[in-house]
Amino acid sequence: MASSIKKIGVMTSGGDAPGMNAAIRSVVRTCAFHNIKCMGIYRGYQGLIEGDLEEMDARSVRNIINRGGTILKSARSQDFRTKEGRKKAHETLVANEVDALVVIGGDGSFTGGMVFNEEFGYPVIGIPGTIDNDIFGTKSTLGYDTALNTAVEAIDRIRDTASSHDRLFFIEVMGRDAGHIALNVGVGAGAEEILIPEEDMGLDRLLESLKTSRVSGKTSSIVVVAEGDKIGKNVFQLAEYVEENMPGYDIRVSVLGHMQRGGTPSCADRVLASRMGVKAVETLLEGKSNFMVGINNDELSLTPLDRAVKGKSEIDKELIRVSEIMSI
């Protein structure tokens, strides 16, 4: 594969996600396969500005495919938001003879890459790494499948307690702007109700649903709440409201929080990361730039970075209907 690119930089940026290490490994080894060099950039754009780079080869990424987090670390960079900061980052790449960049992260990371490409004409390819699965142009992002499995396992354990003590549990999962985790986890864990930002259920309807569940013979219930749900200010206020209006329920709240981000990546995330890493490097070698690698209908695809950033991921309407049927 003929190309003018001789060295590629790879970084992780924004929130960490299981599968990022697998993607780093794939990028590095694909570079090695095509006899080009690879530079690992530590701490995202901030590390790029400060020159925190290290050459990596196929052996540099051994035994990391199974590790959560990111060996390259991650950081949010206020400096990169300035033109002066981006100029320093570009100077670092030029000084280290890095010809192109692979950015593993979410929409904020892609926005940075897109601006960098516009200002300096620098080749950039994005790999979506975020557990929220809220990136347009891909059916699944790295870390999403692992986060689902982690959350379902936790809720299964909580349900044991809920059943033993006839309790109603409100369980908050991640998803500030999108309800993909809550919807899929809710269906997978058999939740009685699922509250997501895309569907404003309303307090009255929630109370009515819980009352119906109680009349039907349910003595315990699980309500999965996306952190970005708009019904209450937060999950604790929501629980207090239900407790005031349904005093017969013994209510508890559990916030799963950052445990959803950590842990060993699932097989699905490892395979997806491996496929995306190969596609990212080979796309750059083909002379293409300013794209995000995604997966749709089990086929890898390319979406322009501006569309990936500005587009909106769609919630699965059919799965919402399934959840309503299952909660009867």
Side-chain angles (χ1 to χ4, degrees):
M1 180 178 296
S3 173
S4 60
I5 291 177
K6 303 302 179 187
K7 187 184 292 186
I8 290 176
V10 59
M11 69 161 69
T12 51
S13 176
D16 63 292
M20 281 185 164
N21 280 326
I24 294 167
R25 173 180 181 269
S26 179
V27 169
V28 172
R29 291 195 170 178
T30 305
C31 286
F33 179 83
H34 289 288
N35 296 312
I36 60 175
K37 294 181 178 180
C38 187
M39 296 291 286
I41 302 163
Y42 290 89
R43 298 179 293 114
Y45 290 117
Q46 191 63 34
L48 184 57
I49 291 171
E50 297 174 5
D52 196 359
L53 288 73
E54 180 179 304
E55 187 167 336
M56 305 179 80
D57 59 23
R59 301 286 73 79
S60 301
V61 291
R62 64 184 180 276
N63 300 328
I64 69 168
I65 193 171
N66 60 314
R67 290 171 58 182
T70 162
I71 63 166
L72 291 178
K73 310 296 183 182
S74 186
R76 304 190 190 279
S77 175
Q78 291 299 321
D79 292 337
F80 195 79
R81 295 176 182 271
T82 68
K83 200 156 191 175
E84 295 77 11
R86 293 191 294 273
K87 185 173 181 292
K88 286 182 181 179
H90 184 252
E91 290 170 352
T92 297
L93 291 169
V94 171
N96 285 274
E97 300 180 330
V98 179
D99 303 308
L101 191 61
V102 175
V103 178
I104 307 167
D107 55 1
S109 304
F110 293 163
T111 298
M114 185 173 62
V115 172
F116 198 62
N117 175 269
E118 290 170 355
E119 289 183 348
F120 301 101
Y122 198 84
V124 176
I125 291 291
I127 294 177
T130 168
I131 68 167
D132 288 349
N133 201 43
D134 59 350
I135 304 293
F136 177 82
T138 185
K139 180 68 175 176
S140 186
T141 57
L142 298 185
Y144 177 55
D145 184 70
T146 304
L148 294 182
N149 291 328
T150 299
V152 166
E153 182 178 354
I155 294 172
D156 285 347
R157 294 171 185 268
I158 290 171
R159 185 178 286 282
D160 291 343
T161 294
S163 299
S164 298
H165 296 275
D166 292 343
R167 285 176 178 161
L168 164 61
F169 266 88
F170 283 89
I171 303 173
E172 183 185 272
V173 297
M174 283 187 165
R176 186 179 65 247
D177 300 311
H180 298 288
I181 292 179
L183 179 57
N184 282 267
V185 163
V187 172
E192 279 65 36
E193 290 297 340
I194 304 167
L195 308 182
I196 57 176
E198 294 86 349
E199 297 281 318
D200 187 358
M201 184 178 193
L203 289 169
D204 291 340
R205 189 175 148 210
L206 174 61
L207 288 176
E208 191 60 37
S209 175
L210 292 172
K211 288 175 183 175
T212 300
S213 294
R214 170 154 281 194
V215 169
S216 71
K218 292 183 180 179
T219 57
S220 65
S221 292
I222 297 290
V223 178
V224 174
V225 185
E227 62 179 320
D229 180 67
K230 303 298 190 294
I231 289 184
K233 289 182 179 178
N234 55 58
V235 68
F236 296 98
Q237 185 193 60
L238 183 61
E240 287 174 5
Y241 179 85
V242 173
E243 194 166 32
E244 289 170 2
N245 289 272
M246 296 185 68
Y249 263 123
D250 184 11
I251 299 176
R252 295 290 188 277
V253 174
S254 182
V255 178
L256 299 189
H258 285 79
M259 70 177 292
Q260 295 160 88
R261 275 194 187 176
T264 301
S266 66
C267 179
D269 274 328
R270 300 184 200 190
V271 173
L272 181 60
S274 299
R275 294 178 68 186
M276 285 183 167
V278 171
K279 182 70 172 178
V281 171
E282 294 187 344
T283 296
L284 287 170
L285 295 182
E286 290 168 2
K288 298 175 184 176
S289 174
N290 219 25
F291 287 100
M292 179 198 76
V293 178
I295 187 162
N296 294 287
N297 299 318
D298 202 35
E299 292 186 1
L300 294 178
S301 58
L302 296 175
T303 299
L305 281 181
D306 62 339
R307 289 193 65 201
V309 169
K310 296 174 184 176
K312 184 174 177 58
S313 63
E314 296 293 329
I315 201 74
D316 189 335
K317 296 292 186 181
E318 175 60 21
L319 195 55
I320 291 176
R321 194 176 79 87
V322 169
S323 71
E324 291 170 351
I325 294 172
M326 291 298 101
S327 65
I328 190 170

